[in-house]
Amino acid sequence: MPSMKLASFLLLKLLLLSLGLSMAPPFLAGDEHQFSYSGFSNTNLTLDGAASITPNGLLMLTNGTSRSMGRAFYPDPLRFRNLSDGAVQSFSASFVFAMVSIYKDLSSNGIAMFIAPSKNLSAAMRMQYLGLLSNQNDGNQTNHIFAVELDTFQNWELQDMNDNHVGIDVNSLRSIQSHDAGFYHDKNGTFQSLSLDSQEVMQVWVDYHGEKMQIDATMAPLGMDKPTRPIVSANYNLSSVLTDVAYIGFSSAEGKITKHYVLGWSFGMNSPAPAINLSMLPKLPPGPRTKGGRRRLQVLEIILPLATAALILSVAAVVSLLVRRHLRYAEVRDDWEVEYGPHRFSYKDLFRATEGFDNKNLLGTGGFGRVYRGELSRSKLMIAVKRVSHHSRQGMKEFIAEIVSIGRLQNPNLVHLLGYCRRRGELLLVYEYMPKGSLDKYLYGEVDNSTLSWDQRIWIIRGIASALIYLHEEWEKVVVHRDIKASNVLLDDELNARLGDFGLARLYDHGVEQETTRVVGTIGYIAPELARTGKGTPLTDVFAFGVFILELTCGQRPIMQSTQDEQVMLVDWALEHVQQGSLDDAIDIRLKGQYNVSEAHLALKLGLLCSHPFACARPSMRQVIQYLDGHIEPPELPAHQSFQALALMQNEGFDSYIMSYRSSTSVGTISSISGGR
Ligand SMILES: Nc1ncnc2c1ncn2[C@@H]1O[C@H](COP(=O)(O)OP(=O)(O)O)[C@@H](O)[C@H]1O
Ligand SMILES: *[C@@H]1O[C@H](CO)[C@@H](O)[C@H](O)[C@H]1NC(C)=O
Ligand SMILES: *[C@@H]1O[C@H](CO)[C@@H](O)[C@H](O)[C@H]1NC(C)=O
Ligand SMILES: *[C@@H]1O[C@H](CO)[C@@H](O)[C@H](O)[C@H]1NC(C)=O
Ligand SMILES: *[C@@H]1O[C@H](CO)[C@@H](O)[C@H](O)[C@H]1NC(C)=O
Ligand SMILES: *[C@@H]1O[C@H](CO)[C@@H](O)[C@H](O)[C@H]1NC(C)=O
Ligand SMILES: *[C@@H]1O[C@H](CO)[C@@H](O)[C@H](O)[C@H]1NC(C)=O
Ligand SMILES: *[C@@H]1O[C@H](CO)[C@@H](O)[C@H](O)[C@H]1NC(C)=O
Ligand SMILES: *[C@@H]1O[C@H](CO)[C@@H](O)[C@H](O)[C@H]1NC(C)=O
C-alpha cells in the first residue's frame, strides 16, 4: 500500500532527524511564528558566556571585562523551511541595541544577530570572531550560519572595510556585502552615517525575501521609522545555507572594554517583524559621558569678596599648580599623530593608573626598560606600561605607524598592545595586563609551587605556535616577532600562553626587504643566519621557537651552566640525549615522571628540528602545528654533524659584538625606531 509506505518513510525521516539533532527540540515553532520583546525581564532566552539580563531587563551581551564574549538565543528552535518545497521562507527580524564603551578610546569588536544550527557554539572564538566562528571554521560550508554583523573593529584578515560597518555574513565573518553604518534619508536619499559605538540607542531590521532570495539590512536611530532603502543588500540563496531547524540569537565580543546591550527584539516568519514597543524598552545605565559639574568657579566666587590678597595668593597657587602639572604631564605630540588619536594615551592617565610609576607597581625590567602595572581609573582596565627611552624623533613616525598597526593584531595568543604615549626622551607602550606574569618565572622557580604540568606545557607550546602562525601567515603582512623566549611569553588568568613584547617586531612586507642595522634577539635564541646577516625571517622565529620548546620540555635555560663552569647549549645537550636514546633523561625532572611519553619525545624532536642550524631544514609554523596535532609524522632528525656546525657558527657570529650583553635580556635596540639609546 503506497500510503503506508509513505507514512513509514516519513516516520523514518522524522526518526533520523531527531537522532541527528541529539537533543530533539521539544517544540518547533511553525510557519507563522512571531515573537517580540521590549526588554527581557522574565524571558527564557538561553544565555552563554558573559551574557546576562540586568535587573531592569537589558540583555547585556558583554559585561565590560576585556575580551569577553556572550551569546543569547531565542529558547526554541525555529523551522526556517517551507515543509512542502523545502525552501527557506521569508523572515524578518528587528532589534534595538547600544554599545557603551567605558573608556572612549578603546574600541570593541561587535555584535551579530545570527541563525545557527545549534546552541552549542563552544568552538567559537572571541575578538574578531564575535563568539560565532573561529579561525578553524570560518568560511566552511558546514557551518550553516547566517548573520548580520555590526562591526566596530577593522580586521585585515577578515577584509573588513572599516571600523564602523554593517555586514551580511554567510558561514564566514568575511562579509559578502558590507556598508558604513548609517541610513538613507527617505526624503532626499542622502546617506547619513551613524557611529555604532557612540553609546546611542539604534534599531536594526533584517529581512529575507524568500522568493527573491534577497537579504536586506537597515538601521536608524531609535524612534525613527524604518527607512525604505536598506543600507546593505545581498542576493543569496539561504536555502543552501540554513538547516531545516535552526536557532536565532545574538553573539557579541569585545576586544577591550565595551558593554553591548540589546534592548528589544522581534521576529516574524513569513511576516514582517512585529513592532517593538519603544516606550517599554528598558533604560541604559547612565553612560560615562556625563561628568560632574565644575565647582571651581563657585569656590572662587566665595573667595573673591573676602580679600584681594587671598585672591592673588590663590591665583598664584593655581598658576604654579598648573605649571607644575603641565611639566609633570608634558608630552610630545606631532601633527602627523592626529590620525593615531585613538591609540594615544595621555601621560596623565598613565601616571595616575600606575600611581605615579610607583616602585610597588614595577612588574619587571626588561632589555628596553621598566614595566609597570596600572589600572585605568575610568574603565578599571588593568594595563602594563613599558617605558622605553629614546632620544631622537627620527623614525618615530614609522615606529608609531607600526605600533598602531600592531595594535590591530588580534589573536587569542597575543598580548594586545592597546596604545602608546610620547614624552621627551621617552616612549610609553601600553599593553593588556597579564596577571600571572611571564612563563620563565614558572619554569625557573621564582613562583612557589609553580611547576607546570605536562599538559599545561603542551598547551602553552600550542598557544605560541598558533600565535606565530597568525603572525607569519594569517595577517595581511608577514610579521616577524624576533624575540621569542620564555620571558616574553605571558600567562593569562586561564594559563593560556600569550606572546608579548612586540617592541622588537618589525613588519616585513610580503616581498619587500627591510634594511636592518643590528642583530635583534636574545642570546641562545638567535639563529645562526640571523647572527650573520642580521635579517629576521619567519624561519629565525622558528629557530627561537624550537629553543623555546626545548626549554619547556627540559626545564633548562637555553644556555645551561654545567658543573665545570662551562656553558653548554641546551640544543646540544638535548641532541646528545636523543642520539644516545636517553630521551627521558632530558625531560624536566620537576615533572617527576608525570608526562605523556610520546608527546614529550615528540616535543624534544620537534624542538631540535625547529632549532636546526640550517634554515632550510626547519619546518614552517604550519607544519609544526600539524606535527603537534599528530596529523603528520615529523621527519627523522638530520645527521649529527650539521648540528655541531651550530656551535661553531654561534661562536663566530656572536663573539664580536653580542656576547657582552647579559644573557637574560634582549640584545640590540629598536635602533632605526628610537634612533639609538
Ligand atoms: N603585559 C604584561 N603583563 C604583566 N607583566 C608583564 C607584561 N609585560 C611585561 N611584564 C613583566 O615585565 C617583565 C619585563 O618585561 P619585558 O620588558 O618584556 O622583558 P624583556 O625585555 O626581558 O623581554 C617581564 O618579565 C614580565 O614579568
Ligand atoms: C519560561 O520557561 C518556564 C519553564 O520552562 C515556563 O514556566 C515559563 O512560562 C516560560 N516563560 C516565558 C516567558 O516563556
Ligand atoms: C563577565 O563575564 C565573564 C565570563 O562569564 C566573567 O568571568 C566576569 O567575571 C564577568 N565580569 C563582570 C564584571 O561581571
Ligand atoms: C510553501 O511552498 C508551497 C509550494 O511552493 C507554497 O504553495 C506555499 O505557499 C509555501 N508556504 C509558505 C508559508 O510560504
Ligand atoms: C559542544 O560541541 C563540542 C564540540 O564542538 C563538544 O565537545 C561539546 O561536548 C558540545 N557540548 C554540548 C553541551 O553538547
Ligand atoms: C569543514 O568542516 C568539516 C566539519 O567540521 C571538516 O570535516 C572539513 O574539513 C572542513 N573543511 C575545511 C575546508 O576546513
Ligand atoms: C536630507 O534630509 C534630511 C532630513 O530631512 C536632512 O537632515 C538633510 O540635511 C538632507 N540632506 C540634504 C543633502 O539635503
Ligand atoms: C537554492 O538552494 C537550494 C538548496 O541548495 C536549491 O535546491 C535551489 O534550487 C536553489 N534555488 C535557486 C533558485 O538556485
Ligand atoms: C506600549 O506600551 C505602553 C505601556 O504598556 C502602552 O500604553 C502602549 O499602548 C503600547 N504601545 C503600543 C504601540 O503597543
Side-chain angles (χ1 to χ4, degrees):
M1 233 193 278
S3 63
M4 274 288 280
K5 232 176 167 175
L6 188 71
S8 60
F9 172 74
L10 280 178
L11 206 72
L12 188 71
K13 202 171 165 189
L14 209 68
L15 197 73
L16 284 176
L17 191 77
S18 56
L19 279 177
L21 304 160
S22 54
M23 281 181 296
F27 157 72
L28 277 185
D31 281 349
E32 300 290 336
H33 191 74
Q34 289 192 337
F35 62 78
S36 173
Y37 297 108
S38 300
F40 296 90
S41 298
N42 308 317
T43 55
N44 279 348
L45 299 189
T46 309
L47 303 177
D48 187 359
S52 64
I53 293 184
T54 66
N56 71 338
L58 289 164
L59 167 57
M60 182 164 77
L61 289 167
T62 57
N63 61 11
T65 303
S66 176
R67 295 156 52 81
S68 67
M69 64 172 171
R71 286 181 287 260
F73 297 85
Y74 182 69
D76 302 316
L78 301 176
R79 189 196 303 286
F80 279 88
R81 288 176 193 270
N82 177 336
L83 279 181
S84 44
D85 66 0
V88 166
Q89 28 197 6
S90 299
F91 61 85
S92 293
S94 177
F95 61 95
V96 178
F97 77 96
M99 299 183 179
V100 178
S101 75
I102 301 163
Y103 192 75
K104 67 175 179 359
D105 287 350
L106 299 178
S107 61
S108 61
N109 285 280
I111 303 182
M113 191 189 75
F114 64 86
I115 298 171
S118 99
K119 287 189 188 175
N120 180 1
L121 293 176
S122 58
M125 287 167 71
R126 301 154 198 265
M127 313 292 285
Q128 66 264 46
Y129 292 102
L130 301 182
L132 187 58
L133 292 166
S134 74
N135 58 2
Q136 298 299 313
N137 67 8
D138 190 82
N140 193 322
Q141 300 290 323
T142 63
N143 293 334
H144 301 294
I145 284 181
F146 161 71
V148 168
E149 63 171 39
L150 307 173
D151 194 342
T152 59
F153 199 96
Q154 185 170 20
N155 290 105
W156 299 101
E157 68 276 25
L158 297 175
Q159 292 158 8
D160 285 344
M161 59 180 289
N162 62 20
D163 58 1
N164 185 49
H165 63 268
V166 178
I168 294 177
D169 300 345
V170 173
N171 290 328
S172 164
L173 289 164
R174 282 172 209 221
S175 305
I176 53 175
Q177 287 290 343
S178 58
H179 195 282
D180 279 327
F183 62 94
Y184 291 97
H185 281 291
D186 276 348
K187 283 200 190 113
N188 51 20
T190 53
F191 177 72
Q192 167 98 47
S193 70
L194 291 172
S195 170
L196 292 172
D197 57 4
S198 62
Q199 318 189 5
E200 299 298 334
V201 181
M202 293 176 241
Q203 186 164 8
V204 174
W205 294 264
V206 176
D207 300 285
Y208 178 64
H209 309 277
E211 271 165 30
K212 288 191 284 178
M213 298 186 296
Q214 183 176 332
I215 305 158
D216 290 333
T218 315
M219 72 184 291
L222 185 70
M224 190 189 222
D225 286 339
K226 180 181 177 183
T228 5
R229 177 166 170 199
I231 47 163
V232 49
S233 296
N235 281 307
Y236 206 98
N237 181 0
L238 286 189
S239 301
S240 64
V241 178
L242 300 184
T243 47
D244 290 1
V245 165
Y247 292 86
I248 186 163
F250 294 99
S251 71
S252 143
E254 61 188 322
K256 312 282 160 66
I257 33 176
T258 311
K259 292 183 176 172
H260 291 162
Y261 294 104
V262 178
L263 294 79
W265 185 22
S266 72
F267 176 84
M269 188 80 82
N270 281 317
S271 74
I276 298 172
N277 188 335
L278 301 185
S279 63
M280 286 179 56
L281 292 178
K283 295 272 171 294
L284 284 183
R289 283 166 300 168
T290 48
K291 275 191 188 154
R294 295 191 162 200
R295 293 186 52 199
R296 195 178 296 156
L297 265 177
Q298 269 178 24
V299 172
L300 276 180
E301 271 166 25
I302 298 163
I303 294 173
L304 253 175
L306 286 184
T308 342
L311 173 70
I312 291 168
L313 270 180
S314 57
V315 166
V318 167
V319 166
S320 79
L321 197 79
L322 285 179
V323 167
R324 272 182 46 205
R325 272 169 74 111
H326 182 76
L327 286 181
R328 179 187 253 185
Y329 300 135
E331 298 175 18
V332 178
R333 213 177 267 264
D334 284 329
D335 293 342
W336 50 260
E337 280 180 79
V338 174
E339 60 176 301
Y340 304 129
H343 300 274
R344 171 120 197 182
F345 282 77
S346 79
Y347 184 69
K348 193 167 145 188
D349 283 352
L350 298 182
F351 190 86
R352 294 207 170 145
T354 55
E355 300 173 87
F357 295 99
D358 195 311
N359 264 341
K360 72 170 191 261
N361 288 328
L362 186 65
L363 286 169
T365 307
F368 295 99
R370 292 162 166 246
V371 184
Y372 295 85
R373 171 182 44 229
E375 182 176 348
L376 292 174
S377 57
R378 268 170 293 173
S379 57
K380 304 280 173 261
L381 179 69
M382 295 294 291
I383 53 173
V385 184
K386 179 179 282 195
R387 303 185 75 148
V388 181
S389 62
H390 77 88
H391 295 288
S392 155
R393 289 192 175 196
Q394 219 185 359
M396 187 45 82
K397 187 171 175 181
E398 291 72 24
F399 184 57
I400 298 297
E402 278 185 21
I403 291 183
V404 170
S405 66
I406 284 166
R408 291 200 197 103
L409 294 173
Q410 290 206 340
N411 181 279
N413 294 107
L414 294 178
V415 177
H416 293 115
L417 181 58
L418 303 175
Y420 74 100
C421 172
R422 286 173 64 205
R423 302 245 297 159
R424 259 177 77 97
E426 193 175 36
L427 178 71
L428 295 99
L429 299 176
V430 182
Y431 295 91
E432 226 182 332
Y433 174 64
M434 293 289 121
K436 293 248 175 358
S438 55
L439 178 62
D440 55 336
K441 298 197 181 113
Y442 288 80
L443 279 182
Y444 307 121
E446 280 175 44
V447 181
D448 293 338
N449 298 329
S450 61
T451 303
L452 296 165
S453 70
W454 177 254
D455 285 348
Q456 285 167 331
R457 293 180 197 216
I458 207 85
W459 180 243
I460 288 169
I461 291 173
R462 266 174 212 279
I464 298 305
S466 89
L468 285 173
I469 291 190
Y470 179 77
L471 294 178
H472 290 171
E473 296 179 21
E474 288 175 0
W475 203 47
E476 58 167 359
K477 291 176 177 164
V478 175
V479 179
V480 180
H481 184 281
R482 288 170 179 262
D483 204 10
I484 295 154
K485 57 177 171 173
S487 68
N488 272 341
V489 170
L490 296 157
L491 297 175
D492 67 16
D493 30 18
E494 295 156 335
L495 282 179
N496 294 314
R498 310 272 297 269
L499 187 55
D501 207 349
F502 288 85
L504 303 171
R506 296 284 205 73
L507 301 178
Y508 170 87
D509 274 295
H510 285 282
V512 182
E513 309 233 324
Q514 303 234 328
E515 42 105 22
T516 35
T517 43
R518 280 195 241 174
V519 176
V520 174
T522 299
I523 300 210
Y525 298 89
I526 301 179
E529 78 273 16
L530 177 60
R532 264 182 285 116
T533 63
K535 192 163 156 291
T537 64
L539 284 176
T540 61
D541 275 356
V542 171
F543 182 92
F545 178 70
V547 178
F548 173 75
I549 298 184
L550 293 178
E551 231 181 320
L552 269 167
T553 312
C554 309
Q556 304 277 359
R557 291 187 191 274
I559 299 178
M560 303 161 66
Q561 216 69 41
S562 79
T563 38
Q564 298 92 27
D565 224 24
E566 217 180 296
Q567 290 188 336
V568 177
M569 304 293 287
L570 172 59
V571 177
D572 297 338
W573 183 80
L575 182 71
E576 231 174 273
H577 280 294
V578 169
Q579 279 168 341
Q580 290 168 2
S582 54
L583 277 74
D584 291 308
D585 295 342
I587 305 217
D588 192 355
I589 46 169
R590 275 163 289 202
L591 288 169
K592 302 197 176 74
Q594 303 284 312
Y595 55 88
N596 176 325
V597 175
S598 62
E599 263 179 13
H601 290 183
L602 174 70
L604 270 183
K605 288 182 184 159
L606 204 51
L608 287 171
L609 191 63
C610 291
S611 52
H612 194 280
F614 296 136
C616 53
R618 296 173 210 150
S620 73
M621 286 312 301
R622 191 162 296 279
Q623 286 170 313
V624 169
I625 276 281
Q626 286 167 340
Y627 299 148
L628 277 173
D629 287 345
H631 292 330
I632 304 179
E633 281 282 307
E636 274 307 302
L637 280 178
H640 191 172
Q641 287 81 353
S642 57
F643 267 97
Q644 284 184 331
L646 173 63
L648 288 172
M649 277 187 280
Q650 292 260 7
N651 290 335
E652 274 173 30
F654 283 133
D655 278 349
S656 44
Y657 61 112
I658 305 177
M659 275 306 199
S660 54
Y661 292 84
R662 280 192 301 132
S663 67
S664 61
T665 48
S666 312
V667 175
T669 70
I670 39 176
S671 56
S672 63
I673 311 158
S674 68
R677 295 187 289 145

